[in-house]
Amino acid sequence: IKDSDLKRLQKIQNAATRFIYGKRGKRGVTKLRMKSHFLPVQQRIEYKICLLVYKTLHGLSPPYMSEMLQKRPQKMKSLRVDNDETNLKETRRSEFHYENTKGAFSVAAPKMWNRLPRAIRDSETLSSFKSALKTHLFSMAYEQ
């Protein structure tokens, strides 16, 4: 999504938050979003994409979704990150056919997934994954 579209969506979320709390003006929206446990739009998008990846890797999504993701092959070097079998293969920039490709699920999802802490990726249940993911994204969005 373009930055301009993200900003528009964030303005809508901010307006909705102000409406819920009966506030006017443009101040204090972040604290209200935190109070409501609303993720900002960018983190909400990341939440949805990572949730789709989790469901796909655990057979909880339609079969065509699994065709869009590949496990990253382990390298022969014995670096710690190379032993992480939860990492997905990321598409190289040179493999993009069009500039819009970088927003495609098959391109964006592995990057977001690989950035998550391993403890979250290793969640055993969908509900524990959702909880850990939201907590992680919430802390990243509102870290002080």
Side-chain angles (χ1 to χ4, degrees):
I1 293 183
K2 292 188 241 174
D3 285 340
S4 60
D5 292 336
L6 275 176
K7 287 178 184 177
R8 283 183 183 165
L9 289 169
Q10 191 60 60
K11 284 181 181 182
I12 292 169
Q13 186 188 51
N14 292 348
T17 303
R18 274 190 228 97
F19 178 76
I20 290 168
Y21 285 97
K23 300 286 182 181
R24 294 184 183 262
K26 297 188 182 221
R27 295 183 171 205
V29 177
T30 302
K31 289 182 181 179
L32 294 176
R33 278 198 326 259
M34 286 174 64
K35 183 178 177 181
S36 301
H37 289 268
F38 290 165
L39 289 171
V41 173
Q42 178 62 45
Q43 282 73 23
R44 184 70 183 159
I45 292 168
E46 288 182 34
Y47 176 86
K48 289 293 193 177
I49 290 173
C50 289
L51 183 59
L52 272 173
V53 171
Y54 182 89
K55 287 180 174 183
T56 300
L57 295 176
H58 290 85
L60 302 171
S61 65
Y64 72 88
M65 295 293 290
S66 60
E67 296 170 10
M68 295 184 209
L69 301 174
Q70 297 176 1
K71 296 268 186 171
R72 193 193 74 193
Q74 290 187 348
K75 297 179 182 174
M76 297 306 287
K77 295 178 183 176
S78 62
L79 297 174
R80 229 179 349 156
V81 73
D82 291 330
N83 293 329
D84 187 353
E85 67 278 354
T86 64
N87 277 334
L88 297 176
K89 181 180 177 194
E90 294 184 26
T91 305
R92 293 187 190 128
R93 193 162 185 80
S94 61
E95 296 175 26
F96 295 171
H97 298 291
Y98 301 100
E99 185 59 28
N100 293 347
T101 305
K102 66 183 176 187
F105 178 78
S106 59
V107 175
K111 288 181 183 180
M112 289 180 192
W113 180 258
N114 292 344
R115 281 195 313 245
L116 290 177
R118 179 141 187 210
I120 296 174
R121 288 182 282 161
D122 284 341
S123 296
E124 294 197 15
T125 66
L126 182 60
S127 61
S128 65
F129 176 77
K130 286 179 174 180
S131 178
L133 178 60
K134 185 165 183 187
T135 300
H136 172 71
L137 292 174
F138 193 84
S139 67
M140 297 300 289
Y142 299 117
E143 67 183 344
Q144 298 168 349

